[in-house]
């Protein structure tokens, strides 16, 4: 397993791996324009974290791991927290959907607290990105954003 900062060489692979845009709190993020880290296993992307630093806050825009139980997600989060501290951010935050119970557990185990629940935010995001599914994990309707944070 090798972790690297995202560079131009991986932009197209990232698009194939994760897609091109993510919407959080109504903001459209183009993943190919964000900094971040990739995890390579046998020269294939098996993990990805992108982030956006703005006004002393670091948002984790995307976090994906194709291999569970190997610590990939945790290592990526640790790297971005180090980066956020190095540039004097006051918090690291992220959004997940209300249906993603696995992610909700994952973030809380790593010290993130629930900051807010943004009612119907994903319903609104579908106006920009209609491909967001109506029904998510375990048959749960996907409607709300849950905001998590770690204060630095």
């Amino acid at each position: 397993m090798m972790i690297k900062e995202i560079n131009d060489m991986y932009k197209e692979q990232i698009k194939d791996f994760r897609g091109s845009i993510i919407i959080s709190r109504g903001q459209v993020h183009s993943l190919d324009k964000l900094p971040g880290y990739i995890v390579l296993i046998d020269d294939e992307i098996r993990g990805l974290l992108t982030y956006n630093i703005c006004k002393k806050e670091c948002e984790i825009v995307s976090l994906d791991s194709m291999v569970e139980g190997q610590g990939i997600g945790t290592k990526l989060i640790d790297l971005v927290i180090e980066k956020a501290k190095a540039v004097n951010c006051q918090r690291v935050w992220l959004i997940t959907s209300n249906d993603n119970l696995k992610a909700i557990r994952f973030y809380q185990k790593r010290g993130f607290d629930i900051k807010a629940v943004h009612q119907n935010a994903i319903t609104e995001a579908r106006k920009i990105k209609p491909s967001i599914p109506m029904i998510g994990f375990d048959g749960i309707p996907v409607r709300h954003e849950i905001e998590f944070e770690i204060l630095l």
Side-chain angles (χ1 to χ4, degrees), residues 21 125-134:
I21 67 166
R126 275 193 199 90
K127 294 175 183 175
I128 300 166
K129 186 179 177 183
S131 62
I132 299 170
M134 298 292 287

Side-chain angles (χ1 to χ4, degrees), residues 71-123:
I72 290 172
T74 301
K75 286 177 185 167
L76 292 170
I77 285 173
D78 289 346
L79 282 171
V80 82
I81 288 172
E82 286 176 29
K83 179 70 166 183
K85 286 179 179 177
V87 297
N88 298 314
C89 287
Q90 296 173 349
R91 75 178 189 136
V92 174
W93 67 283
L94 60 91
I95 295 289
T96 194
S97 56
N98 65 282
D99 69 308
N100 198 344
L101 303 178
K102 198 179 241 183
I104 292 167
R105 280 191 306 271
F106 176 83
Y107 294 125
Q108 290 181 90
K109 284 181 175 181
R110 278 140 194 94
F112 284 82
D113 288 323
I114 295 174
K115 169 71 173 173
V117 175
H118 304 285
Q119 296 277 324
N120 297 309
I122 296 177
T123 303

Side-chain angles (χ1 to χ4, degrees), residues 14-26:
I14 289 168
K15 194 180 289 186
D16 293 340
F17 179 80
R18 183 60 166 94
S20 58
I21 67 166
I22 289 184
I23 302 167
S24 69
R25 301 300 309 123

